[in-house]
Amino acid sequence: MSEHIFITKETIHGTDDGPLAGQTVAVKDNISTEGVRTTCGSTMLEEYVPPYDATVVERVTDAGATIIGKANMDEFGMGSTTETSAFGSTDNPAAPGRVPGGSSGGSAAAVAAGEADLALGSDTGGSIRCPAAFCGVVGIKPTYGLVSRYGLVSYGNSLEQIGPFANTVEDAASLLDVIAGSDERDATTRDAGDDSRYADAATGDVDGLSIGVPTELLEGADDGVVEAFWDAIADLEAQGAEYHEVSLPSVEHAVEAYYVIAMSEASSNLARFDGVRYGHSADAEGNWNDVFAETRKEGFGDEVKRRILLGTYALSAGYHDKYYKKAQDARAWVKQDFDEALSDADVLASPTMPVTPFEQGESLDDPLQMYLADANTVPVNLADLPAISVPAGESDDDGLPVGLQLVGPAFGEERLIRAASALE
């Protein structure tokens, strides 16, 4: 068993029958589970026990699955390695001594290690797809609004979505079938528009499929990653697909725009952790401001503090238009570029991550390196589109896992599932 996969190991039994009967599921520890500790990987919520289930938890247990524990994660979803967790870093079962990716690293590791059949994670800027690629499993980031976020502890609520992990595309699609759909408790949700099952789309039929390859998402990627990517494209070509290069000029600014927006939303969302209502409360003397400051100093880790500070600065008087408004303008440009590219292609393809898994501790002293590693994943969240990461073999440089990312139009999950299943 790999180290620190779970923060809390506690079983929640589902119904006796249903489409997921007999399946075990790991749940990322920022998804609320009634009566079971939900920490978000943070000292701030170390003893927090939610009084209600998230919608996805209700749907999974109603479908017959058994939840076996709360999976480790980067603190409040802020990180790409699962090393910012207050409960220790998770090892990568597919590459011991390396990180599993993040922020949903515990969920991906649980599936890769055989600890769980399926897992739930959340994806704000690649937090499902990155660990799926690093751990050699399948991860789906659904279209914004396809899956209810009710019960998900918010980090960047205009960006994040809950999605599935599995060892196969069909199994991931089966879990998506269960969790997808509108929810009256989340006004951003809506149905995809038909009654078809996502699992039924995993036919592997890519004959005639048009694949757009954004040249910008290959720039800067490791040679071994690029080679594995083109091998996967060649595999799809051999099965009847065709590819052509496309351009997404706006992605040059996507990482900067993403982090301004995400950190600004984090600054607002995490203001609720004040030591008064719930969560950690410092044993400090003084007025409310003194206790508030000491609570957050003790409760939050360095990466969370960094993002709160930067987000607060971006939203402050005199800087809102200079940073936050410009980031939103860039976001609209990114969405426009993706929509144009997808008007000439059925799906877009790129390496999920431009690098193979980092060594443990490698990126902790260089947060910028961690931020830039998200270059291929964050544009998808800015554009509110669905994406899937599927294993694409190993890098010839170091023998470590490589993921292929496929991006589709809004609510085009079936198309992605059909294409990804051709690579299995």
Side-chain angles (χ1 to χ4, degrees):
M1 174 175 162
S2 291
E3 190 177 6
H4 295 139
I5 288 179
F6 294 98
I7 293 175
T8 302
K9 201 78 161 64
E10 190 164 336
T11 301
I12 304 173
H13 294 284
T15 59
D16 292 336
D17 55 15
L20 298 181
Q23 300 273 68
T24 56
V25 180
V27 176
K28 187 177 180 179
D29 206 26
N30 61 347
I31 299 173
S32 295
T33 42
E34 181 181 1
V36 177
R37 194 170 63 133
T38 299
T39 72
C40 292
S42 178
T43 300
M44 183 65 79
L45 292 177
E46 186 170 4
E47 303 300 331
Y48 172 63
V49 178
Y52 68 98
D53 279 331
T55 296
V56 292
V57 169
E58 290 179 351
R59 290 178 176 177
V60 163
T61 53
D62 287 347
T66 298
I67 293 172
I68 59 168
K70 305 300 292 294
N72 200 10
M73 57 178 286
D74 281 300
E75 186 178 8
F76 284 101
M78 300 181 192
S80 301
T81 64
T82 312
E83 292 174 295
T84 70
S85 171
F87 304 97
S89 60
T90 299
D91 197 30
N92 186 336
R98 303 271 174 163
V99 301
S103 62
S104 308
S107 296
V111 173
E115 294 288 319
D117 300 316
L118 308 166
L120 290 174
S122 64
D123 192 310
T124 309
S127 291
I128 289 174
R129 290 160 288 153
C130 165
F134 279 5
C135 291
V137 298
V138 177
I140 300 175
K141 180 264 172 199
T143 305
Y144 187 82
L146 181 64
V147 178
S148 173
R149 291 182 298 108
Y150 177 77
L152 175 68
V153 180
S154 291
Y155 157 29
N157 31 331
S158 78
L159 299 160
E160 58 203 7
Q161 271 288 270
I162 296 171
F165 290 96
N167 279 307
T168 70
V169 173
E170 185 175 2
D171 285 348
S174 295
L175 181 51
L176 183 61
D177 276 319
V178 168
I179 64 174
S182 61
D183 177 16
E184 63 182 11
R185 296 171 294 188
D186 180 357
T188 66
T189 56
R190 68 186 180 108
D191 288 316
D194 57 53
D195 296 325
S196 57
R197 292 185 68 250
Y198 294 112
D200 292 340
T203 62
D205 181 9
V206 292
D207 189 33
L209 184 78
S210 173
I211 304 170
V213 177
T215 54
E216 293 86 355
L217 299 186
L218 295 174
E219 296 172 2
D222 289 352
D223 291 343
V225 170
V226 173
E227 186 174 345
F229 167 75
W230 283 119
D231 286 346
I233 295 298
D235 189 357
L236 292 172
E237 276 193 296
Q239 298 180 61
E242 61 86 17
Y243 88 89
H244 60 277
E245 293 185 349
V246 299
S247 181
L248 298 172
S250 62
V251 299
E252 177 185 355
H253 306 288
V255 170
E256 295 96 319
Y258 166 80
Y259 276 104
V260 169
I261 294 169
M263 290 179 184
S264 297
E265 293 185 5
S267 169
S268 175
N269 282 319
L270 271 62
R272 72 192 66 177
F273 301 111
D274 55 10
V276 176
R277 288 165 287 187
Y278 52 84
H280 176 73
S281 183
D283 184 15
E285 296 182 357
N287 61 30
W288 181 85
N289 286 320
D290 295 332
V291 177
F292 176 79
E294 189 64 25
T295 292
R296 291 163 73 81
K297 176 183 176 183
E298 294 175 1
F300 291 140
D302 289 344
E303 183 61 29
V304 174
K305 292 173 185 172
R306 182 181 296 117
R307 298 195 190 197
I308 291 173
L309 286 168
L310 291 170
T312 303
Y313 178 79
L315 292 174
S316 61
Y319 295 97
H320 179 278
D321 289 353
K322 185 177 181 180
Y323 294 110
Y324 187 73
K325 185 176 183 301
K326 283 187 177 179
Q328 292 290 7
D329 290 342
R331 181 177 191 173
W333 183 20
V334 169
K335 179 162 180 55
Q336 178 181 322
D337 274 359
F338 270 93
D339 288 344
E340 288 180 2
L342 286 165
S343 69
D344 294 324
D346 295 319
V347 298
L348 305 180
S350 74
T352 306
M353 299 296 289
V355 294
T356 51
F358 306 116
E359 292 183 6
Q360 292 278 355
E362 181 182 343
S363 66
L364 285 178
D365 296 327
D366 186 5
L368 186 59
Q369 177 192 15
M370 182 171 63
Y371 299 164
L372 293 175
D374 295 335
N376 289 7
T377 55
V378 297
V380 181
N381 297 77
L382 292 173
D384 297 333
L385 298 177
I388 187 170
S389 180
V390 63
E394 299 172 344
S395 167
D396 286 341
D397 291 343
D398 52 24
L400 296 174
V402 174
L404 174 79
Q405 174 178 249
L406 296 172
V407 183
F411 300 100
E413 279 79 1
E414 290 180 54
R415 190 182 302 178
L416 296 180
I417 289 164
R418 186 171 66 253
S421 63
L423 288 170
E424 294 185 305

